[in-house]
Amino acid sequence: VEESELSDAFWAFTLPAALETTSTISPFFQTFLAAQVSRNSRGFLSKGITVAAMTQQSGDIHHIVPKHYLQNNGFPDRGDYNQVANFALTETSINISISNRPPVKYMAEVATQIESGVLKLGEITDAGDLAANLAENAIPFELAEVTAGNYKEFLVRRRERMAAIIRDYYQTL
């Protein structure tokens, strides 16, 4: 087996599997955050506040698919809803605005905000900026379609995207 094949297998399978954890102190999750800082990524649904600023000051670890929503829809186990692949750093005000609403509801509000320009949830008012923000946070573009029914598939796709960001970060070192 060649080294490049082992490397490809690590990035494609081993690293995403290592991100299947609830530990925010996991070296893999911490490396993902370091990669976001290195890339000057913004917080989830933030227009200007970076992950770097939130790690140094006050940012919230937000459940992308809210904990209470998952608890009420077949995921009562902490190990299911507290997956690091379900976490994103965001501003406190955005976290509070999302509250317990599932992505289908809060992303519909973001879509309306983009159409109207009237701020209600964060400050993103452009579809291209939203797509960039989701990419910066390794969040699948189909977030608005995520429900309890496809939550596990969402976690798999998010882990793959997180691993890709870590891989790109590693290659710049």
Side-chain angles (χ1 to χ4, degrees):
V1 178
E2 292 185 28
E3 183 178 334
S4 67
E5 290 175 8
L6 288 175
S7 179
D8 290 345
F10 174 77
W11 296 116
F13 304 108
T14 306
L15 186 54
L19 287 163
E20 190 170 343
T21 180
T22 61
S23 175
T24 57
I25 61 170
S26 154
F28 303 103
F29 184 65
Q30 290 298 310
T31 303
F32 172 69
L33 295 177
Q36 284 190 293
V37 168
S38 172
R39 296 168 67 143
N40 204 33
S41 297
R42 298 167 294 163
F44 177 54
L45 298 179
S46 294
K47 186 159 179 84
I49 304 297
T50 63
V51 169
M54 286 189 284
T55 58
Q56 295 170 358
Q57 298 162 7
S58 61
D60 288 357
I61 293 182
H62 164 70
H63 287 86
I64 299 166
V65 182
K67 174 174 84 171
H68 293 290
Y69 167 75
L70 289 170
Q71 287 174 322
N72 293 332
N73 289 279
F75 293 94
D77 183 25
R78 182 181 174 279
D80 289 324
Y81 57 76
N82 277 350
Q83 287 288 311
V84 296
N86 192 30
F87 292 151
L89 288 183
T90 193
E91 298 172 62
T92 301
S93 62
I94 292 171
N95 197 11
I96 290 169
S97 292
I98 290 172
S99 185
N100 296 322
R101 296 183 292 160
V104 68
K105 290 192 178 180
Y106 70 79
M107 291 305 291
E109 188 169 305
V110 172
T112 299
Q113 177 173 299
I114 288 170
E115 290 173 14
S116 70
V118 177
L119 297 178
K120 293 196 178 224
L121 180 61
E123 299 176 330
I124 294 176
T125 56
D126 176 79
D129 196 24
L130 175 61
N133 185 272
L134 293 174
E136 290 169 30
N137 286 282
I139 297 172
F141 299 114
E142 311 82 31
L143 177 60
E145 300 163 16
V146 174
T147 64
N150 60 14
Y151 172 67
K152 291 210 181 241
E153 291 82 10
F154 160 77
L155 292 176
V156 168
R157 289 192 313 273
R158 177 105 196 285
R159 286 185 198 108
E160 291 167 350
R161 285 172 162 58
M162 292 169 78
I165 286 176
I166 293 170
R167 179 196 63 225
D168 293 348
Y169 172 61
Y170 173 79
Q171 291 173 343
T172 65
L173 298 177

